[in-house]
Amino acid sequence: MDGEELGGTFVISVDELGLNGLWSTIKDLVESRMPLQGLTLPNKVGKIVAVPRLPLMFVVSSDKRLLRLKQYSHSPVTWFRNPHTHLILVSTADVHEYKSTTRAQLKRVTADAEKDWGGAAVGSEWVILYVRPFELEPSDKAAKKVFEKLCDDFGSKRRERVVRLDIPLRAFDAPSASSLATISTSSSRSVATTVGYTPLPSSHAYGTGLGSQAYGSSTAAGAGSVQGSVWGSGATGLDDLCAGLRDSIRAAFEARQAAYDAEVRRLLNERREPKWSFTTLYLVKDSFALMLEGAGLWEDAFQEYVELETVYLDCLETTAAAAPPATPAEAAAAAVREAADFGLTGSDTEDVSSLLSSSWRNMRRLVLWKKSVQEFHFRQYLFAAQARVLLRLGRPVDVAERGLVFIQNFLAILAAREAAGQVKPWFKECWAFSACMSLIGALTAYTAQRHSLPADWDVTDFVAAPGSGPQGPAAAAAVRHLAAAVAAERAEK
């Protein structure tokens, strides 16, 4: 996990105060309510957009990925990767301990979150989750008094910032065989697509966990009939936690969206200045688009990618219209620079199109390594980003039409480069073939998925996998499903 950098999915940072292993104990129960549902977010023109399902990634604050990211947290390039909310866990019933130790720790943690991850333009949101000690009854007066103190010290009238979670000891008891059988027959599909179910030994100790799926309070439809006899049974406060997360994520998103919009406007207004760089605009605007994708605002993300492409094409036209070199030596040097800016290195793998598999991480690494945006790779990246969003919007025909136009236009560019001796013979034909096969494979897999699989299945691996045909687990499942359907139809005949 530490090797994969954060980005794309909204991140929730988790801090444990005073009790190590608390998060690992309640993690499965909390994550059983994910993706977060019922969220509404405003786009940059103020229109409210409903987000039916928002995936969240919970990451402990000591994770190496967060520690690496923290030093760049104030840069617009990383705003979309920063935690959208800091979830702070507290579990004590000792009022004296709270007043003498816990309260000061909370003030420090919240202040550090606002200082390290926030700023003048981008706020840093946090939610305090008070987990009642498991051995106490819900009516315990000491626990109630600590929670009231938390609300007085850190609560807010505008939204939920302090939430209480009550988990009875029986929530850690393993389910009976009959309960598991009922779950597997009534809700296996919805459970499998959400978190997955792997039984773990029951334990009352911190750090053991509730199991891979805490069904009792938040499972998919169909499991409610066995709620009283499965893990997580009787837990209360999860709805309040989801409400608090919705409010804090909405506030963080609004602040970052406004900051991104202001930063992009500033960069566009400086386009005519001598030191202006498209690379900076790309990094900021692409980050904004990725944040919108993570939020499920597909229309707005597509608009950002289109605007980025428009500015890029305008920059290419401006460069092409510049005054020609005055001497042969200058012309030769300009030709070398142009070939380098285009991005072909002569590698044997470059004739394999990345039309629908270009990764934003790889694109950024390449740009930062070369210190420039190379046309050959960047044009394919822009198309891949737009196609990914269009498929999310359910517009495969648009992807097909735009793909054909893109391949034709890019072939003309490669033909001109071949005539100038910058592209090897047969390179453009190999690239065009792989691009067409990539487009056909992705659209075929997407169509099979829409007609043969549940509507809420993820389609990311249809367009994120390299190669010329359907790749990834979802595509493979679609092929198996279709093969089974055809075999059944033949058997009936």
Side-chain angles (χ1 to χ4, degrees):
M1 290 295 292
D2 287 345
E4 181 181 350
E5 293 299 328
L6 303 174
T9 305
F10 279 23
V11 173
I12 307 297
S13 173
V14 180
D15 285 278
E16 296 176 324
L17 291 189
L19 192 61
N20 294 330
L22 177 58
W23 171 242
S24 61
T25 304
I26 68 171
K27 176 178 181 290
D28 296 319
L29 181 62
V30 173
E31 289 186 342
S32 69
R33 300 302 294 259
M34 302 298 126
L36 192 64
Q37 301 183 18
L39 182 66
T40 58
L41 296 173
N43 61 14
K44 65 180 183 180
V45 297
K47 179 182 177 182
I48 301 299
V49 180
V51 182
R53 295 158 57 90
L54 180 67
L56 299 177
M57 178 186 293
F58 292 88
V59 181
V60 294
S61 59
S62 59
D63 191 287
K64 293 180 180 179
R65 294 167 295 177
L66 282 180
L67 297 179
R68 286 194 297 264
L69 187 61
K70 184 183 292 187
Q71 57 185 321
Y72 309 108
S73 62
H74 296 286
S75 169
V77 178
T78 62
W79 284 343
F80 79 104
R81 300 170 61 191
N82 292 354
H84 279 70
T85 297
H86 298 265
L87 184 63
I88 307 170
L89 306 183
V90 178
S91 182
T92 179
D94 189 333
V95 178
H96 176 72
E97 178 187 354
Y98 170 76
K99 291 182 178 180
S100 61
T101 306
T102 307
R103 179 163 52 190
Q105 290 178 332
L106 282 171
K107 290 182 178 179
R108 176 181 53 81
V109 170
T110 54
D112 288 345
E114 294 172 355
K115 179 186 68 173
D116 295 338
W117 299 99
V122 182
S124 181
E125 300 296 325
W126 47 266
V127 173
I128 297 175
L129 177 61
Y130 174 70
V131 182
R132 174 181 55 80
F134 301 135
E135 68 275 8
L136 301 180
E137 294 296 327
S139 59
D140 184 82
K141 294 183 178 179
K144 181 180 179 181
K145 191 169 184 179
V146 170
F147 180 68
E148 290 175 349
K149 290 290 184 181
L150 281 169
C151 294
D152 292 340
D153 294 335
F154 299 95
S156 172
K157 294 182 179 179
R158 294 181 299 171
R159 61 177 183 271
E160 291 282 355
R161 275 202 154 175
V162 182
V163 180
R164 173 170 170 166
L165 180 62
D166 291 309
I167 307 176
L169 280 177
R170 69 174 181 275
F172 298 91
D173 294 334
S176 63
S178 60
S179 297
L180 288 177
T182 305
I183 293 170
S184 62
T185 56
S186 65
S187 60
S188 58
R189 174 178 295 179
S190 57
V191 169
T193 57
T194 304
V195 178
Y197 173 66
T198 304
L200 293 179
S202 62
S203 174
H204 297 168
Y206 288 117
T208 304
L210 295 176
S212 181
Q213 173 71 21
Y215 290 103
S217 300
S218 65
T219 68
S225 60
V226 294
Q227 182 173 357
S229 58
V230 296
W231 283 326
S233 166
T236 60
L238 288 172
D239 290 336
D240 294 336
L241 175 60
C242 290
L245 290 176
R246 281 194 292 267
D247 291 341
S248 60
I249 289 173
R250 185 183 300 111
F253 177 82
E254 289 181 8
R256 293 183 194 185
Q257 180 172 240
Y260 267 126
D261 189 46
E263 184 67 14
V264 169
R265 289 177 183 273
R266 183 186 68 81
L267 292 172
L268 289 175
N269 290 335
E270 297 175 354
R271 281 182 61 191
R272 304 308 175 189
E273 295 186 4
K275 294 184 179 181
W276 186 82
S277 169
F278 174 79
T279 301
T280 304
L281 176 66
Y282 148 66
L283 291 172
V284 174
K285 199 168 182 65
D286 184 69
S287 299
F288 186 22
L290 288 168
M291 187 185 76
L292 294 174
E293 279 195 69
L297 274 62
W298 308 111
E299 292 280 2
D300 299 274
F302 179 72
Q303 185 63 34
E304 294 299 320
Y305 286 125
V306 170
E307 291 176 2
L308 182 60
E309 182 181 29
T310 301
V311 177
Y312 179 64
L313 295 179
D314 182 66
C315 291
L316 291 180
E317 292 178 1
T318 302
T319 303
T327 64
E330 292 179 355
V336 172
R337 286 196 304 271
E338 183 183 0
D341 290 341
F342 188 68
L344 285 178
T345 63
S347 170
D348 293 336
T349 61
E350 287 179 327
D351 58 0
V352 178
S353 163
S354 59
L355 206 59
L356 287 167
S357 60
S358 184
S359 163
W360 65 267
R361 289 185 176 90
N362 294 338
M363 189 69 236
R364 291 190 176 204
R365 293 189 186 107
L366 180 63
V367 168
L368 294 175
W369 178 45
K370 296 293 185 179
K371 298 182 180 179
S372 65
V373 175
Q374 297 181 320
E375 182 179 358
F376 178 76
H377 303 284
F378 192 65
R379 279 179 178 263
Q380 295 183 76
Y381 170 75
L382 286 175
F383 178 83
Q386 294 174 21
R388 179 177 67 241
V389 176
L390 286 174
L391 288 181
R392 283 287 192 173
L393 290 170
R395 294 162 58 181
V397 175
D398 289 343
V399 175
E401 293 176 348
R402 294 169 67 91
L404 292 176
V405 172
F406 177 83
I407 292 173
Q408 292 172 356
N409 293 339
F410 209 64
L411 271 177
I413 295 174
L414 291 176
R417 298 278 174 176
E418 184 178 0
Q422 299 175 0
V423 174
K424 296 183 296 184
W426 300 106
F427 177 90
K428 69 179 188 299
E429 289 81 4
C430 293
W431 180 90
F433 177 79
S434 66
C436 290
M437 293 304 297
S438 175
L439 190 63
I440 292 170
L443 292 175
T444 301
Y446 174 81
T447 303
Q449 179 261 347
R450 287 201 59 184
H451 290 286
S452 304
L453 298 175
D456 60 348
W457 265 46
D458 194 357
V459 300
T460 302
D461 50 11
F462 287 156
V463 297
S468 58
Q471 303 284 337
V479 173
R480 290 195 303 269
H481 190 89
L482 286 175
V486 171
E489 185 177 351
R490 290 176 177 175
E492 292 177 358
K493 292 180 179 180

